Amino acid sequence: LDQKTFYRCGYIFLGPEEMKDFSLESTYSTKNRHVSTYYWDSVDDSGKPMNIEDSKHLIFRIMPERRITKNSHHSNLHFHLWVESIAWFMADADNRSRKTGNFFVPERGIYRKKLNVVKDEAMWHCFRMHIFTNDREIGIIGVRRKFIPPQINTFQDMVFVLKGIKQISDHRTNEPKFMDCVERIVDTLSPTVMDWKWNSKWIT
């Protein structure tokens, strides 16, 4: 698959060639914003272009770095609950327009990041959910980067939310391998700045 490089607030990842960065089309374009929306050009059943909210799009949010403490709110369990809360909010907001609350969750659990492109020495932990609502498919992967060098005393949370094309008709079509898209993005996610020694003795 053809891939291209995307930058966001100190991180880099690979995404599909046809994916576009909406923030770069804004008057206040910047790659340092902590949130951005990426979209695919989509058309409805009549061939009319769809707005970004109804088309297939990806939301990427980066939270500020935080110091690691013994606080239970910094545990992996709390991180999982944070990702789930985002997933349910997105699904509920999508169903709200039709005043229904039907969900189907075929996947929910820890996701193992498969690549370390820049030999990052931090620890990565991911949690994902795959949801079907009445109108669309939604995939969420939360990412926690912990023990960030060189001081190894901070962590940073990120979340990717992939929303499929909104389908109003009764004849729905599901996109094959929908989650593969956001999984590949997470697999290639890497910090763009490596300001510690290449032969660091820190082991995760």
Side-chain angles (χ1 to χ4, degrees):
L1 297 175
D2 293 332
Q3 303 280 299
K4 67 180 179 181
T5 304
F6 294 87
Y7 299 90
R8 178 57 47 195
C9 201
Y11 287 89
I12 184 174
F13 59 90
L14 296 179
E17 183 70 31
E18 63 273 18
M19 190 171 80
K20 300 178 180 179
D21 188 345
F22 178 70
S23 68
L24 298 182
E25 301 175 9
S26 169
T27 305
Y28 305 100
S29 172
T30 174
K31 294 180 181 179
N32 292 322
R33 293 177 58 190
H34 284 76
V35 63
S36 186
T37 300
Y38 307 86
Y39 70 97
W40 287 253
D41 289 326
S42 306
V43 296
D44 58 21
D45 295 338
S46 64
K48 182 180 178 181
M50 303 176 71
N51 60 43
I52 292 179
E53 178 55 34
D54 292 339
S55 66
K56 180 180 178 180
H57 63 281
L58 174 77
I59 303 169
F60 180 31
R61 170 74 181 183
I62 302 176
M63 306 302 292
E65 275 191 44
R66 300 176 66 184
R67 185 175 294 274
I68 298 172
T69 69
K70 295 182 179 179
N71 192 321
S72 61
H73 292 298
H74 297 168
S75 68
N76 284 343
L77 175 59
H78 190 269
F79 171 69
H80 297 173
L81 294 174
W82 176 69
V83 176
E84 284 197 42
S85 69
I86 295 172
W88 293 128
F89 175 82
M90 290 292 179
D92 183 63
D94 194 65
N95 273 341
R96 203 173 297 151
S97 60
R98 295 182 67 170
K99 298 182 180 180
T100 60
N102 298 323
F103 306 107
F104 173 56
V105 184
E107 296 176 282
R108 172 188 173 277
I110 293 173
Y111 178 73
R112 306 292 182 184
K113 190 175 185 297
K114 300 179 179 65
L115 299 174
N116 188 356
V117 179
V118 298
K119 299 186 185 300
D120 181 27
E121 296 182 345
M123 183 180 75
W124 295 79
H125 180 78
C126 308
F127 187 83
R128 76 173 181 175
M129 287 189 68
H130 185 191
I131 300 176
F132 287 88
T133 69
N134 286 326
D135 297 332
R136 74 192 333 162
E137 209 169 342
I138 303 175
I140 297 97
I141 299 184
V143 181
R144 169 166 286 183
R145 183 171 175 244
K146 195 172 183 180
F147 305 118
I148 299 174
Q151 295 182 331
I152 64 172
N153 63 351
T154 60
F155 71 94
Q156 190 166 31
D157 291 337
M158 295 159 264
V159 64
F160 292 88
V161 179
L162 179 64
K163 304 180 79 171
I165 295 176
K166 192 168 187 177
Q167 303 181 54
I168 305 300
S169 66
D170 294 330
H171 303 287
R172 290 191 51 181
T173 57
N174 297 326
E175 182 179 338
K177 299 182 178 180
F178 177 79
M179 290 296 290
D180 285 2
C181 176
V182 67
E183 288 173 6
R184 283 194 296 267
I185 289 173
V186 169
D187 287 342
T188 59
L189 180 66
S190 306
T192 58
V193 179
M194 307 288 283
D195 57 358
W196 57 95
K197 294 181 180 179
W198 67 271
N199 60 346
S200 169
K201 299 301 182 181
W202 168 243
I203 300 175
T204 58

